Amino acid sequence: MKAIAVVGAQWGDEGKGKVVDYLAGSFDYSARYGGGHNAGHTVIIDGHRFVLQLIPCGILRPGKKAIIGAGVVVDPAALVAEVDNIAKGGVDVNGRLFLSNRAHLIFPFHRELEKSAEAARGPHRIGTTSRGIGPAYEDKMARCGLRVCDLMDMERFERKLERVIEEKDALSRSCYAKGLDTAGILETYRELGGRIRGFVADTSAVVNRALGEGKSILFEGAQGTMLDIDHGTYPYVTSSSAIAGGACTGLGVAPTKVTGVIGVTKAYTTRVGGGPFPTEMPDLDAQAVRDRGKEYGAVTGRPRRCGWLDLMMLRYAVQINGIDSLVVTKLDVFDTQKDIQVCVGYKYNGSKLNEMPAEVEVLAEVTPEYRTLPGWQQQTDHIRAAADLPKAASDYLKFISDSLGAEIGMISTGPERDATIVPPGTKLASWL
Ligand code: GDP
Ligand code: IMO
Ligand code: MG
């Protein structure tokens, strides 16, 4: 039995899509357990670029199966658009995609309410992806959400929607002085329900049956540890459990079934949206990394904030997720870098911090302690064996691995599937 979680160790966009696509060739299933179409996972195969938001990247591997679990919030319009979009790229999901009947639905009013909430926050806005993710999770927790199973019975759906709409309509009238188009929503969702019906399943049963039969599953994390609702830089986080533990709750699979955890980090750090970022680079340096790393949001196109690698944060991510093996992506972005800084710890009010602070106000004020390591100033994107990496690049990776007490099981030196190095003898190599 092989059940491995792949999680973002930073603030998302670590390259999880590329990593899952690479690994998925060795697994029967890939499964998303949280978030929604706020995620944007890029996979480049033979020059063709796919950006997957809801469907696990394993779907791009012929014959492999993909699951969207109960912990995911689903905008059916986004799902249908994604199915149609990847079909254009020659990928047929029929018979291979399973959508949880327990997953909560996102409605147009969730997006509207999010827009007004963000506007009201002014300079303290979270900088969300405006997909209605937060409000949909709010309704789920408030126990007034509608789920995929409801959409499968239009009579029930209409009854439940009417109850919810009454409240949302009052909110909408006070925020926008306009009511909701209940009939329009019903009509649109009736049609969308028909389009997704063929995918709907009890996905917890699918996962557990598969594991019982000795099949292998890759849990595809969305977002990243520092965006986790409980353990991230609250309130500048997303509204779901992005950490490895989220795979259990989001898919209905027991912790005893998870056999390993892979944490993905870039060779540096990025963040989209608001919130503290201790190792953020000054504008000019950040722009250079942004240009080389093409650091613009896969979903929103927003420029990503760029900074140095933060080992204080990664140590926290290793602990919270129980990371067995690290993947370092985008090493090639540093190919022209003369000196590389790495944050090894934080100081606050002159004292060294031993734990990641809970308060964003403190995190915004910490002074990162840096070590400077030499760059390699050589191209690495063609390298396929760890032994062929320039010495300074190997030293950089060893410094990361030693500082965190975790192996580096994979190194990515380019966006394409084959720009990947898997050193032999690691735990990660044994899972392939
Ligand atoms: P995800 O959300 O974690 O899946 O990451 P994104 O897809 O949002 O962002 C990662 C970006 O980096 C994508 O554009 C990838 O194609 C790209 N990428 C992934 N790995 C590498 C790498 O090793 N080198 C370079 N240059 N680009 C990479
Ligand atoms: P992937 O899976 C990077 C960020 C948003 C915002 C905050 C809350 O591609 O790594 P939300 O719309 O979720 O309520 O926004 O979280 N965010 C991400 N940042 N990568 C993601 O996903 C993200 N998903 C959400 O920018 O700061
Ligand atoms: Mg992304």
Side-chain angles (χ1 to χ4, degrees):
M1 190 177 80
K2 216 167 41 165
I4 308 289
V6 177
V7 298
Q10 301 171 309
W11 276 293
D13 300 330
E14 297 90 349
K16 298 174 295 292
K18 167 178 168 165
V19 172
V20 166
D21 169 64
Y22 186 92
L23 297 170
S26 306
F27 288 78
D28 300 304
Y29 289 81
S30 58
R32 275 279 304 272
Y33 56 84
H37 66 311
N38 49 349
H41 298 177
T42 316
V43 178
I44 301 179
I45 307 165
D46 299 330
H48 192 109
R49 183 170 182 266
F50 296 89
V51 178
L52 294 168
Q53 297 191 245
L54 276 165
I55 304 175
C57 294
I59 200 78
L60 302 177
R61 295 275 185 175
K64 305 288 184 182
K65 297 186 167 135
I67 293 169
I68 299 172
V72 177
V73 284
V74 178
D75 181 333
L79 179 59
V80 165
E82 191 166 321
V83 165
D84 290 346
N85 196 30
I86 63 173
K88 279 188 217 136
V91 181
D92 181 8
V93 304
N94 287 304
R96 303 199 289 132
L97 179 64
F98 302 88
L99 167 65
S100 173
N101 49 8
R102 291 179 171 84
H104 277 253
L105 294 168
I106 299 180
F107 288 95
F109 52 74
H110 288 134
R111 280 195 301 276
E112 296 295 319
L113 291 170
E114 176 171 359
K115 244 190 274 167
S116 70
E118 278 283 86
R121 287 177 194 126
H124 303 293
R125 66 182 172 277
I126 297 164
T128 67
T129 59
S130 328
R131 297 296 188 269
I133 305 294
Y137 277 115
E138 279 176 40
D139 281 357
K140 167 176 168 169
M141 291 309 186
R143 293 156 295 178
C144 63
L146 269 78
R147 301 186 295 168
V148 167
C149 55
D150 297 319
L151 191 53
M152 295 300 103
D153 176 340
M154 277 319 282
E155 229 173 82
R156 187 169 63 215
F157 184 76
E158 191 169 344
R159 242 183 3 254
K160 287 193 175 181
L161 186 67
E162 261 166 21
R163 286 207 297 266
V164 172
I165 284 248
E166 210 174 301
E167 177 201 323
K168 304 293 175 194
D169 190 53
L171 264 175
S172 181
R173 280 178 201 282
S174 63
C175 292
Y176 307 106
K178 74 171 191 221
L180 294 176
D181 173 15
T182 311
I185 295 178
L186 257 178
E187 201 38 51
T188 308
Y189 276 65
R190 186 190 306 279
E191 197 186 318
L192 291 167
R195 286 288 316 271
I196 64 174
R197 182 174 293 281
F199 308 131
V200 178
D202 180 336
T203 53
S204 170
V206 173
V207 170
N208 284 293
R209 201 176 307 125
L211 288 172
E213 288 166 359
K215 300 256 167 50
S216 52
I217 305 196
L218 204 52
F219 304 129
E220 177 175 339
Q223 290 77 50
T225 304
M226 302 313 287
L227 288 172
D228 181 87
I229 184 72
D230 293 299
H231 303 283
T233 48
Y234 191 90
Y236 297 96
V237 292
T238 190
S239 302
S240 60
S241 297
I243 60 168
C248 297
T249 53
L251 281 160
V253 57
T256 46
K257 299 271 170 67
V258 181
T259 54
V261 179
I262 294 172
V264 186
T265 171
K266 284 176 182 166
Y268 47 96
T269 311
T270 62
R271 150 159 236 185
V272 212
F277 184 173
T279 64
E280 189 161 18
M281 291 169 174
D283 284 351
L284 268 178
D285 295 334
Q287 191 56 48
V289 170
R290 190 175 299 126
D291 288 345
R292 275 186 263 142
K294 299 197 176 76
E295 295 295 356
Y296 295 89
V299 176
T300 57
R302 289 180 291 177
R304 294 174 179 154
R305 298 157 68 190
C306 299
W308 300 108
L309 193 71
D310 186 340
L311 293 176
M312 179 83 181
M313 197 172 92
L314 287 181
R315 214 169 285 126
Y316 179 70
V318 167
Q319 180 186 75
I320 299 256
N321 294 292
I323 292 172
D324 297 296
S325 193
L326 279 162
V327 177
V328 178
T329 62
K330 305 196 97 158
L331 191 73
D332 55 300
V333 174
F334 274 165
D335 283 356
T336 53
Q337 191 74 33
K338 190 164 174 294
D339 292 311
I340 298 172
Q341 301 209 63
V342 195
C343 166
V344 292
Y346 298 157
K347 274 197 167 159
Y348 180 65
N349 283 342
S351 309
K352 188 173 154 46
L353 289 185
N354 292 319
E355 314 291 350
M356 184 59 81
E359 310 87 339
V360 280
E361 294 79 4
V362 175
L363 194 61
E365 299 267 301
V366 297
T367 310
E369 286 185 274
Y370 287 109
R371 286 280 294 274
T372 305
L373 276 71
W376 40 96
Q377 297 186 283
Q378 280 177 57
Q379 229 175 307
T380 56
D381 57 354
H382 58 288
I383 295 174
R384 299 289 174 266
D388 297 335
L389 282 169
K391 176 157 186 325
S394 301
D395 289 348
Y396 183 55
L397 295 170
K398 185 168 181 327
F399 186 79
I400 297 169
S401 168
D402 289 350
S403 307
L404 301 176
E407 69 169 37
I408 292 178
M410 184 189 286
I411 303 135
S412 173
T413 58
E416 285 273 353
R417 192 184 266 174
D418 65 347
T420 308
I421 300 169
V422 179
T426 61
K427 278 191 209 170
L428 190 147
S430 75
W431 296 329
L432 292 178

